[in-house]
Amino acid sequence: MIKKVFICIVISSVMFLIACHRESGPIENVTLQNHNELFKDYVYDQVKSMDLVVDSMAIAEEGYYFIWEGVLFFYDFDSDISIPMCSRAECSHKTQGCDGFIGKMDYNTNIFACENNEVLLYDGYLYMVERTKENISNLCRYNGNLNDKVIIAQLASLYGERPSLCTTYGSYKIVDGYFYYIMCDVDVNTMEANKYMFKYNCMRVKLEEKATPEKLGDFMFPGDYGIGVFLNSVSVLSCGKDVYFIAGGTNRFFEKDNPMQYYVTKYSNENKKFEVLASYVGNKDYNAWSIISGFIPSVNNMYMDDDATIYTLGNDGTNNNIIAFNYSNNSSKVIYKGCNSFAFDGEYFYTFLRASDTYPYLTAIDKEGNIVRQYKFDVLDSFRKKMQERGFPEAQWEKGDFRIKGIDGRYIMIHGLTETSKNYGVTLINREQFLSGADFEIKTIYE
């Protein structure tokens, strides 16, 4: 939990203010006085909140953590200010020397890297996997102010007695006080001869100091999906106390044989059983995952609801589509055609769709595939003009970059052009107002 004493110290050094804008209509801006009243029915659930994160953020009861250019910030509802996790008044909070920097690896120094900018919040502590310049991956814990670092356990070491690497990109999950992850056994001297097939170990470690990782099961799987090795071919999901370890890919980077492979496995905490629910090894079968799945280009954009239904993107050869499938009851369906990425809050899908005018439309879609609400980000006009005047190529400014960072019962957090300065930043949209079809507020919390 963010300490209020810490907030009072750093507020005086914060050099940016919050700018607010609303679409239209007589809706007051969220203030210190009415925030709790506005979301009086909201109940914070730390487990569900972890499932609502898409990119580089974490949801807390009293605000949001988010990462911008490698620096961790906290947007505090009470103060209405985004606070860098650094108390040094002279710091610009824009370099690796910032105490709040958790970003990119620098091999020339001993600055740590938070894998994939993925931060998990559990019981008031921040957890992240840090890879050192010696390629050792450690699970680390910090308090809510990014202080008091504790190394919980070493998860993998590329040059250790047992060479191994942790997978990244959505492959971590905390359930009932345990951190679940996938660790690959890899020997750089034999991987080419073994056609880049590695043992994927499904692991967990208890969230306590000097904990020992525990292996739950394993399967053999290619390590050469995506650009490079061990990057973006796995996902860890949970439903209740069951944890699902999923790996899949369509195009291998080095090998051409059996380009399409996947595994869906489950570990039951109730009966301590690890089982393979489904698998496929072969050529590009459009419906290998399920009867209507199409290709699934990446398993990173995956969600699971309370009945273990998996939602992800499948490609039918023409479009990326939001699809749903469930191995327990052998059901599957296409929900919405024509979507490149999405967030899911258990009830609605959120994405940016582009019409023929190329504008980004924030879109909410229900489970039946119906569009509930759309909002056109016409701020792009000002941005295009600015970029054009500065002489940037059209390809760099025509569409802009909008993406959803996360969502909960209060706000939709968006990375994109802000309504105030027309530069990139982080904005919040009141979720309930947006879904209701009424006027809604857009709040810029960082730019």
Side-chain angles (χ1 to χ4, degrees):
M1 180 176 293
I2 292 294
K3 296 178 181 177
K4 299 303 178 183
V5 173
F6 176 80
I7 291 175
C8 292
I9 294 173
V10 299
I11 284 178
S12 61
S13 65
V14 174
M15 302 305 294
F16 51 86
L17 299 176
I18 305 304
C20 298
H21 169 81
R22 62 179 177 81
E23 189 183 34
S24 62
I27 298 179
E28 296 181 359
N29 291 325
V30 176
T31 65
L32 303 184
Q33 289 73 33
N34 67 15
H35 177 84
N36 290 334
E37 179 64 22
L38 188 62
F39 301 108
K40 61 183 179 181
D41 296 328
Y42 172 78
V43 178
Y44 178 71
D45 183 329
Q46 69 173 359
V47 175
K48 182 179 180 180
S49 293
M50 285 187 284
D51 295 333
L52 301 176
V53 170
V54 180
D55 175 47
S56 306
M57 63 95 67
I59 299 169
E61 186 171 9
E62 64 274 24
Y64 301 123
Y65 291 93
F66 65 91
I67 300 170
W68 189 266
E69 295 184 348
V71 176
L72 182 66
F73 290 82
F74 183 77
Y75 171 66
D76 179 66
F77 289 139
D78 287 345
S79 66
D80 202 27
I81 290 178
S82 291
I83 307 160
M85 295 291 96
C86 173
S87 59
R88 293 189 292 115
E90 74 281 5
C91 183
S92 67
H93 314 303
K94 297 182 181 298
T95 68
Q96 293 187 358
C98 175
D99 290 346
F101 183 84
I102 62 172
K104 298 177 182 177
M105 177 76 76
D106 185 343
Y107 288 98
N108 297 318
T109 69
N110 204 22
I111 294 175
F112 63 79
C114 170
E115 291 278 20
N116 195 40
N117 284 341
E118 190 167 358
V119 177
L120 302 180
L121 181 64
Y122 188 80
D123 284 351
Y125 290 101
L126 295 169
Y127 292 90
M128 61 189 79
V129 176
E130 298 175 5
R131 188 188 298 187
T132 69
K133 65 179 181 180
E134 294 82 17
N135 265 307
I136 297 173
S137 296
N138 295 318
L139 174 61
C140 298
R141 184 187 73 197
Y142 294 84
N143 66 16
N145 300 327
L146 200 61
N147 295 320
D148 300 335
K149 176 180 177 178
V150 174
I151 296 178
I152 300 298
Q154 177 177 302
L155 305 182
S157 175
L158 185 59
Y159 301 110
E161 182 178 339
R162 178 186 177 184
S164 56
L165 281 173
C166 283
T167 55
T168 59
Y169 293 92
S171 56
Y172 312 136
K173 184 70 64 177
I174 295 178
V175 179
D176 282 351
Y178 283 87
F179 180 87
Y180 291 82
Y181 65 103
I182 296 177
M183 181 266 288
C184 295
D185 289 328
V186 51
D187 186 341
V188 295
N189 298 314
T190 61
M191 62 182 183
E192 185 173 357
N194 292 331
K195 296 186 175 182
Y196 298 93
M197 294 294 295
F198 303 105
K199 182 181 289 185
Y200 276 50
N201 302 283
C202 302
M203 310 286 293
R204 74 175 183 179
V205 61
K206 195 169 185 179
L207 297 178
E208 60 184 23
E209 283 190 60
K210 299 180 180 179
T212 301
E214 172 189 1
K215 180 176 174 178
L216 306 175
D218 60 58
F219 54 87
M220 296 299 295
F221 194 73
D224 59 338
Y225 283 113
I227 302 175
V229 185
F230 315 109
L231 290 182
N232 59 354
S233 60
V234 299
S235 186
V236 179
L237 307 174
S238 64
C239 179
K241 294 187 178 182
D242 294 334
V243 180
Y244 295 74
F245 299 89
I246 302 174
T250 302
N251 293 299
R252 298 183 63 180
F253 193 70
F254 297 115
E255 293 293 321
K256 303 303 179 185
D257 294 338
N258 298 321
M260 187 173 179
Q261 300 189 32
Y262 75 85
Y263 266 86
V264 180
T265 66
K266 182 180 79 169
Y267 177 76
S268 170
N269 276 294
E270 183 175 352
N271 58 28
K272 311 302 179 185
K273 181 181 179 182
F274 180 86
E275 60 180 321
V276 176
L277 299 181
S279 64
Y280 177 86
V281 176
N283 293 316
K284 292 183 179 180
D285 183 345
Y286 273 100
N287 298 319
W289 286 77
S290 69
I291 194 170
I292 48 77
S293 66
F295 295 150
I296 295 183
S298 172
V299 302
N300 305 122
N301 199 183
M302 274 191 170
Y303 296 86
M304 180 172 281
D305 66 12
D306 293 338
D307 68 354
T309 296
I310 297 172
Y311 301 91
T312 189
L313 290 177
N315 189 288
D316 59 13
T318 303
N319 297 309
N320 285 330
N321 308 316
I322 300 176
I323 62 172
F325 54 94
N326 189 307
Y327 289 113
S328 299
N329 56 27
N330 199 29
S331 63
S332 59
K333 68 176 181 178
V334 175
I335 294 176
Y336 188 85
K337 292 188 175 183
C339 173
N340 290 323
S341 64
F342 68 90
F344 179 60
D345 65 2
E347 186 176 4
Y348 297 100
F349 304 91
Y350 303 85
T351 186
F352 279 99
L353 300 179
R354 292 185 184 274
S356 58
D357 59 11
T358 74
Y359 286 96
Y361 287 78
L362 177 62
T363 305
I365 303 168
D366 66 21
K367 287 185 177 181
E368 301 304 316
N370 302 308
I371 292 179
V372 177
R373 181 78 189 271
Q374 283 190 315
Y375 171 72
K376 175 182 176 181
F377 275 76
D378 52 12
V379 64
L380 202 56
D381 284 335
S382 301
F383 177 71
R384 286 172 172 169
K385 183 178 180 181
K386 179 188 293 186
M387 296 294 281
Q388 193 172 21
E389 290 173 348
R390 293 179 179 178
F392 286 89
E394 182 173 338
Q396 294 185 20
W397 53 259
E398 177 61 26
K399 292 186 176 181
D401 179 17
F402 290 84
R403 59 181 182 268
I404 298 169
K405 295 178 71 66
I407 187 169
D408 66 0
R410 297 167 292 191
Y411 292 106
I412 307 168
M413 179 181 281
I414 294 172
H415 166 107
L417 299 171
T418 67
E419 295 279 354
T420 50
S421 69
K422 314 302 187 280
N423 288 320
Y424 281 103
V426 180
T427 57
L428 301 179
I429 287 181
N430 184 300
R431 173 186 176 274
E432 185 175 351
Q433 292 173 356
F434 178 75
L435 292 174
S436 70
D439 297 327
F440 61 91
E441 197 172 66
I442 299 179
K443 174 185 284 289
T444 299
I445 63 171
Y446 184 81
E447 59 187 355

